[in-house]
Amino acid sequence: MAFCYFNSIPTSSHLISPDLSQKFKIPKLLHRKKRFGVLPRSSKVTAFYGLKAPPYELDALEPYMSKRTIDMHWGEHHRNFIEGLNKQLEKDDILYGYTMDELIKVTYNNGNPLPEFNNAAEVWNHDFFWESMQPGGGDMPVLGLLQQIEKDFGSFTNFKEKFIEAALTLFGSGWVWLVYYLKRNIVVRYFALILRVIDCCEHYLVVLVKREEKQLAIVKTSNAICPIVWDDIPIINLDLWEHAYYLDYKNDRAKYVNVFMNHLVSWNAATERLAYAEAFVNLGEPKIPVA
């Protein structure tokens, strides 16, 4: 059985590390060439990202999540994150051209987030959250996803209990996630060599094997932090900001979390995401051309 929790790192503003793009394999973008004089600078871009609609009608999750909640949560809070991010990006085009994933990793800045990070991450988190639910959701996963859950948590029941526990023990606002990641274990063995020269015993520490094991884990994060900043691959997430549930469940987080697991979570989406994650880990990050 394996699960783990990660806490967010305190935020402060620092400059982006010069080798950050290389670390995250972020391609050099056309706007950077323009900015540094290789090509004439283009006109200023004043809009970057649009509000993505949930993959179902806004009343499709009733009675478990009301249209009133989604109107407020998606139509106001999510929209405010988009608009706030675009206003930040209007001031300087240095970040123009990044995909949302790249933007989040760059502005996370090795745990010292830049001003754009919170809005960018909350946009990403909310898009992922809407797609982590479906009408008629809940029940149990099947096939490979169920097998992986049973392998990593012992049983689906154990996983469900751990996920709910993580959601209920998260302090303040944030998110709880099921992620797929590559666990690296260093296997170490000791060898004792008896040296009779001076009748003493010396011990040598030898690293024999570096094993890699792919597995699921439960992660909880505070505020806007999302696991892609650590290169984990999210499978499902649950929004634990109070605005996600107070209209329907007041301050009863436990009821909201249980309703999510029993009636809302999309195991169909999770199965597709796990298939992508397995291919991503096995084959490496795909090289996506940038226009």
Side-chain angles (χ1 to χ4, degrees):
M1 181 189 306
F3 69 96
C4 59
Y5 297 149
F6 292 92
N7 292 321
S8 63
I9 300 175
T11 61
S12 61
S13 294
H14 293 277
L15 294 177
I16 298 176
S17 172
D19 62 347
L20 194 58
S21 293
Q22 182 177 1
K23 179 177 180 180
F24 289 114
K25 300 179 181 178
I26 296 173
K28 292 182 179 180
L29 302 174
L30 186 59
H31 84 277
R32 291 186 177 278
K33 295 180 180 179
K34 292 178 181 178
R35 186 169 181 80
F36 291 102
V38 176
L39 293 173
R41 184 168 177 172
S42 61
S43 59
K44 187 175 182 179
V45 177
T46 58
F48 295 82
Y49 300 101
L51 181 65
K52 184 178 179 181
Y56 36 74
E57 297 298 324
L58 300 188
D59 62 353
L61 301 182
E62 291 186 336
Y64 307 110
M65 184 173 288
S66 66
K67 181 178 183 297
R68 181 186 175 205
T69 286
I70 296 183
D71 282 338
M72 179 275 300
H73 191 175
W74 171 75
E76 295 182 23
H77 289 279
H78 191 171
R79 183 183 298 276
N80 287 340
F81 292 129
I82 285 278
E83 292 177 352
L85 176 62
N86 287 338
K87 287 179 181 178
Q88 289 173 316
L89 297 178
E90 283 177 5
K91 299 176 183 178
D92 194 330
D93 68 355
I94 191 66
L95 295 173
Y96 171 64
Y98 285 110
T99 67
M100 187 63 73
D101 290 44
E102 292 168 349
L103 181 64
I104 289 168
K105 290 179 178 181
V106 168
T107 58
Y108 183 64
N109 194 28
N110 288 326
N112 300 290
L114 304 180
E116 296 84 359
F117 173 76
N118 284 332
N119 280 324
E122 284 293 78
V123 169
W124 195 100
N125 294 351
H126 279 86
D127 284 338
F128 198 85
F129 176 57
W130 304 126
E131 294 175 5
S132 290
M133 298 182 290
Q134 68 176 60
D139 202 9
M140 285 183 62
V142 296
L143 303 175
L145 176 57
L146 180 59
Q147 292 172 3
Q148 189 71 44
I149 287 175
E150 290 175 338
K151 171 182 175 292
D152 295 330
F153 297 94
S155 70
F156 178 72
T157 299
N158 286 343
F159 156 73
K160 190 173 178 180
E161 290 174 355
K162 295 298 183 183
F163 191 92
I164 292 172
E165 178 187 8
L168 298 184
T169 55
L170 175 70
F171 179 77
S173 299
W175 303 79
V176 63
W177 311 74
L178 176 66
V179 303
Y180 189 72
Y181 78 113
L182 194 61
K183 179 181 178 182
R184 293 176 173 87
N185 296 320
I186 303 297
V187 179
V188 178
R189 294 183 180 176
Y190 289 90
F191 284 92
L193 298 180
I194 307 300
L195 303 181
R196 299 184 180 277
V197 177
I198 54 176
D199 293 327
C200 69
C201 176
E202 294 187 5
H203 295 267
Y204 291 87
L205 181 62
V206 180
V207 177
L208 292 182
V209 182
K210 185 175 181 179
R211 291 189 312 207
E212 294 184 342
E213 179 184 358
K214 293 162 284 199
Q215 67 180 64
L216 296 170
I218 294 170
V219 175
K220 55 183 180 180
T221 63
S222 295
N223 301 318
I225 303 294
C226 55
I228 67 171
V229 300
W230 305 302
D231 291 330
D232 293 340
I233 305 175
I235 304 299
I236 59 172
N237 73 342
L238 174 59
D239 190 343
L240 293 173
W241 286 73
E242 195 174 63
H243 63 238
Y245 59 90
Y246 76 87
L247 289 180
D248 292 332
Y249 302 102
K250 305 303 181 185
N251 63 346
D252 193 345
R253 180 185 281 191
K255 185 174 181 180
Y256 163 68
V257 172
N258 277 276
V259 165
F260 173 82
M261 292 302 293
N262 293 325
H263 302 288
L264 292 174
V265 62
S266 175
W267 293 121
N268 292 334
T271 298
E272 294 176 2
R273 289 165 174 172
L274 180 62
Y276 162 80
E278 289 173 335
F280 187 91
V281 169
N282 290 335
L283 303 177
E285 182 176 357
K287 295 182 179 179
I288 303 174
V290 177

